[in-house]
Amino acid sequence: MDVATNLTMIQSNIGQACEKSNRHPNEITVIGVTKYVTIERTKEAINTGIKNLGENRSEGFLEKYNHIDSDVKWHFIGTLQSRKVKDVVDKVDAIHSLDRLSLAKEINKRASKQIDCFVQVNVSGEESKHGLQPEDVIPFIKEVQKYNYVRVVGLMTMAPHLEDNERLRGIFKRLALLRKTVQQENLANAPCEFLSMGMSNDYEVAIEEGATHIRIGSNLVG
Ligand SMILES: *Cc1c(COP(=O)(O)O)cnc(C)c1O
C-alpha cells in the first residue's frame, strides 16, 4: 500500500478516536516509525506530509538523518546505549526511551542544549519490556533534576501486543494517571505534559486515553 493511502486511513481512525474522547486531532503528533523501511520509503512518507520520524537504533537513525535533508523532527524511540549518546544527542528532537540514571548523566554530559526526553515506563509489568516500574518514576525524575540538559517532557510506554482493548485501555489509563501525579509534583525541568503511547496495534485506544504522540510503523510505512 502507498503511504498516502495508509495515512488517510490512520487519519480517519484518529478522527474517530478524537471524536469519542472529545479531543482534537491537532493534539496528536503522528510519528512515522521508519525503522523497517528504506530511505526511499521514508521520503515517500515525508512527501505525504509526515513531519515527525522515529528510529530505534542509532545506526538506522544516522543513516536516515544523513540522507534526508527535509525539515522533519527526529524521535529516538529505542533503547539507547550510553556509548551511542554522543552520536545522536544533538541531532534528535526528542528521546522517548529515558530509562536509567546513567543515560540521563550521559545525555547531560554530551548535549549542547536541553534535550526533550520522555521517561519510559513499564506499565504492564512484562519482563521483556524496557522501562521503569511506575512507582519508581517520581523518585527517578527527582534524581534527574540535577542534570540541567535533560528536560522531562513526558512519559512513554509500549503496551504488549494484545487484542483485548480493555486491557490495553487499563495500561494507557495508568500512564495518563502517572503523568498527572508527576505534574502535581511541579518539578524543575519536568513539565511532563506529553504521553507517547500507541502503536499500529493500539493507537486508537491510546488516543482515547490521552496520547499526544503516537508511534506508527507497520500500518503507515511497513
Ligand atoms: C517499532 C516501534 C514502534 C512502531 O511499531 P508498529 O507496531 O510497527 O507501529 C513504536 N514504538 C517503538 C518503541 C518501536 O520500537
Side-chain angles (χ1 to χ4, degrees), residues 8-217:
T8 303
M9 176 68 85
I10 290 166
Q11 279 167 339
S12 147
N13 292 338
I14 291 174
Q16 285 177 27
C18 282
E19 213 158 280
K20 274 195 202 168
S21 51
N22 252 312
R23 302 187 64 201
H24 193 280
N26 285 351
E27 297 169 32
I28 320 291
T29 299
V30 177
I31 301 172
V33 177
T34 49
K35 65 186 187 198
Y36 320 100
V37 302
T38 60
I39 288 164
E40 279 319 300
R41 185 74 166 167
T42 304
K43 287 181 176 167
E44 187 191 336
I46 294 168
N47 289 337
T48 67
I50 292 286
K51 293 196 158 40
N52 290 267
L53 297 177
E55 284 283 332
N56 70 334
R57 293 177 63 245
S58 56
E59 295 78 7
F61 161 67
L62 287 170
E63 200 203 347
K64 301 265 175 27
Y65 182 88
N66 290 330
H67 285 92
I68 289 170
D69 27 67
S70 314
D71 185 19
V72 291
K73 290 197 161 137
W74 295 97
H75 298 259
F76 197 90
I77 61 172
T79 306
L80 183 53
Q81 291 173 284
S82 295
R83 65 192 171 86
K84 302 284 176 66
V85 168
K86 62 178 184 312
D87 304 334
V88 305
V89 72
D90 279 331
K91 300 186 171 79
V92 297
D93 294 280
I95 294 172
H96 290 240
S97 47
L98 178 59
D99 61 354
R100 57 193 194 280
L101 220 47
S102 58
L103 180 57
K105 186 180 179 184
E106 185 66 13
I107 292 169
N108 192 61
K109 180 175 162 189
R110 301 291 185 174
S112 56
K113 58 175 194 303
Q114 269 203 334
I115 305 297
D116 286 353
C117 296
F118 291 73
V119 173
Q120 186 168 354
V121 188
N122 183 354
V123 183
S124 62
E126 271 192 321
E127 271 180 34
S128 59
K129 292 277 185 291
H130 291 272
L132 293 160
Q133 295 304 307
E135 62 273 21
D136 295 335
V137 168
I138 286 176
F140 175 77
I141 296 175
K142 286 182 176 165
E143 290 277 347
V144 166
Q145 287 192 289
K146 64 178 175 245
Y147 300 123
N148 284 326
Y149 279 175
V150 178
R151 203 169 114 89
V152 176
V153 296
L155 304 179
M156 179 273 217
T157 200
M158 268 176 99
H161 197 91
L162 300 171
E163 297 306 325
D164 181 348
N165 273 356
E166 292 318 302
R167 276 184 61 198
L168 287 168
R169 191 181 300 286
I171 290 168
F172 297 139
K173 267 191 201 303
R174 284 180 64 193
L175 197 71
L177 195 62
L178 188 56
R179 172 183 62 173
K180 209 167 159 189
T181 318
V182 175
Q183 286 177 330
Q184 283 164 350
E185 295 275 328
N186 258 313
L187 301 171
N189 284 338
C192 205
E193 54 192 321
F194 299 131
L195 286 174
S196 171
M197 59 187 197
M199 320 197 325
S200 293
N201 179 53
D202 55 21
Y203 65 93
E204 293 102 324
V205 187
I207 288 170
E208 287 171 31
E209 297 306 326
T212 61
H213 293 66
I214 58 175
R215 311 178 307 268
I216 312 222

